[in-house]
Amino acid sequence: MTPQQLIRFQKIIDVKEWRENPLHESVEKKLFNLMNKLNENEINLVLELLNNFTWIGNNQYDKKILDIFRKIDSSIISSATKFYFFPVVKPWDSYKLKSGLSLIYPVVGIINYIEELDHIEKGSNCIITNYKTLSKLKLKDTEYLILVDDFIGSGKTFKSCIEQIESYSIPLEKIILISIAIQNEGLEIITNKKIKAYYSHIERKGITDFYYADEQTKRKSLMKLIERKLKFNSKFSLGYEESEALLSLIKTPNNTFPIFWHEYYDHNLVKKAPFPRY
């Protein structure tokens, strides 16, 4: 890393105020170690992407959730008597169902602090834990189903989830989507389904949405060279389904460029990424 690149790196950290996160020292150190494995052009690309990177740490979650729920249309809040909750997962993915539920339980706990929702029944008994139970759900006029996710990327998981829900004859106008962040591609699918969606961040593709023609091709090729150099799983090239996401949450989505979350080898030792998934 050149002195100029080091200055750029430190400036990015400062501007993004990442030092307010208690995990910043670990992230900074791992980013520095990672970039020391790269050449000058590769480092420049990582710094470009890092400049548009969003890191939402554990210490920010409560406020994000509270702010999102306060965005829900007041007419819904005033008339609602009960909220049911279900994670955005594929119908056949039982492992992801467990992971999704682990996100819902703290969400339900957090929103109990919103006084405007005090009249709405929304306790742990309102959490639906599987598709079989969901298939039997009959919503009354004043009841809503809230789908919860921390990140919607390409929207394919959401699409398979909502299509399964449609097969249960649950009215789409009674469904609300809550997500910390949504990528433009996923938001288009949600909008086409006319689902009410509330979120904190809109994310863009890290290369495709910022660069065009030769500049885009050059950066994608360089990133794929880095991925091969660091021996990343090709399944996640440019992020799962080439989502090119630039986002880390409590658990970094695999839609994010793997250079930020995929482990790599350094002298036969496995090194953790700056924003690990596991």
Side-chain angles (χ1 to χ4, degrees):
M1 186 185 297
T2 66
Q4 291 80 10
Q5 288 174 326
L6 181 58
I7 290 170
R8 281 179 66 193
F9 175 54
Q10 293 298 329
K11 185 175 181 181
I12 290 170
I13 300 294
D14 290 339
V15 169
K16 291 183 174 293
E17 299 179 343
W18 281 355
R19 290 192 177 91
E20 295 179 6
N21 190 305
L23 301 177
H24 79 89
E25 288 185 2
S26 172
V27 169
E28 278 190 60
K29 182 179 179 181
K30 287 173 181 174
L31 280 168
F32 185 80
N33 291 340
L34 173 65
M35 286 190 282
N36 278 337
K37 294 278 295 177
L38 308 177
N39 64 38
E40 189 171 343
N41 288 334
E42 292 166 344
I43 292 171
N44 281 334
L45 176 57
V46 171
L47 290 174
E48 285 179 3
L49 297 177
L50 202 61
N51 198 52
N52 293 313
F53 198 92
T54 301
W55 180 22
I56 300 174
N58 199 10
N59 61 324
Q60 299 171 277
Y61 253 61
D62 288 8
K63 185 177 186 307
K64 297 288 184 187
I65 295 298
L66 290 171
D67 288 346
I68 292 169
F69 270 87
R70 286 183 174 126
K71 291 179 181 179
I72 296 177
D73 192 280
S74 59
S75 63
I76 293 175
I77 298 299
S78 61
S79 63
T81 60
K82 191 170 186 176
F83 283 165
Y84 290 93
F85 300 86
F86 190 74
V88 177
V89 290
K90 294 174 181 175
W92 55 88
D93 199 336
S94 59
Y95 171 76
K96 289 289 179 65
L97 182 58
K98 293 178 182 177
S99 175
L101 288 170
S102 70
L103 174 66
I104 287 181
Y105 284 106
V107 166
V108 171
I110 291 167
I111 63 174
N112 278 317
Y113 290 90
I114 303 177
E115 291 183 10
E116 294 86 348
L117 305 184
D118 281 351
H119 65 284
I120 301 173
E121 185 180 351
K122 54 190 181 302
S124 57
N125 61 307
C126 299
I127 298 173
I128 298 172
T129 58
N130 55 69
Y131 272 99
K132 184 177 180 180
T133 303
L134 183 63
S135 68
K136 300 173 183 177
L137 181 66
K138 303 298 180 185
L139 292 171
K140 297 177 182 177
D141 288 344
T142 57
E143 297 177 344
Y144 290 84
L145 173 63
I146 297 186
L147 300 179
V148 180
D149 204 351
D150 53 1
F151 177 63
I152 303 287
S154 67
K156 290 184 178 179
T157 297
F158 171 81
K159 188 171 184 288
S160 64
C161 175
I162 202 68
E163 286 176 350
Q164 187 68 30
I165 291 172
E166 283 184 284
S167 74
Y168 302 149
S169 299
I170 297 175
L172 295 186
E173 63 268 20
K174 306 298 290 182
I175 296 174
I176 297 170
L177 172 67
I178 297 292
S179 183
I180 297 286
I182 300 178
Q183 209 162 26
N184 277 326
E185 192 175 1
L187 185 59
E188 185 175 339
I189 291 174
I190 294 162
T191 303
N192 288 341
K193 285 288 184 181
K194 295 182 170 57
I195 300 292
K196 293 178 283 291
Y198 300 92
Y199 45 88
S200 178
H201 295 264
I202 282 289
E203 298 294 322
R204 300 164 67 189
K205 285 193 169 188
I207 293 176
T208 299
D209 290 341
F210 287 91
Y211 304 97
Y212 303 95
D214 291 346
E215 291 300 310
Q216 181 186 122
T217 302
K218 180 175 71 176
R219 284 167 173 80
K220 284 187 178 180
S221 297
L222 181 57
M223 179 54 76
K224 289 181 179 181
L225 283 173
I226 295 173
E227 292 170 352
R228 288 196 291 271
K229 178 179 180 177
L230 297 179
K231 300 179 180 179
F232 293 157
N233 186 335
S234 60
K235 175 182 177 181
F236 301 109
S237 181
L238 304 182
Y240 184 63
E241 295 182 338
E242 298 194 359
S243 297
E244 302 177 39
L246 290 171
L247 176 73
S248 179
L249 303 160
I250 292 176
K251 181 180 179 181
T252 304
N254 59 15
N255 307 77
T256 293
F257 284 98
I259 193 164
F260 294 110
W261 61 264
H262 202 300
E263 68 277 0
Y264 62 96
Y265 285 91
D266 187 13
H267 300 294
N268 295 321
L269 294 175
V270 177
K271 295 290 185 178
K272 284 283 188 181
F275 303 95
R277 277 177 53 77
Y278 311 106

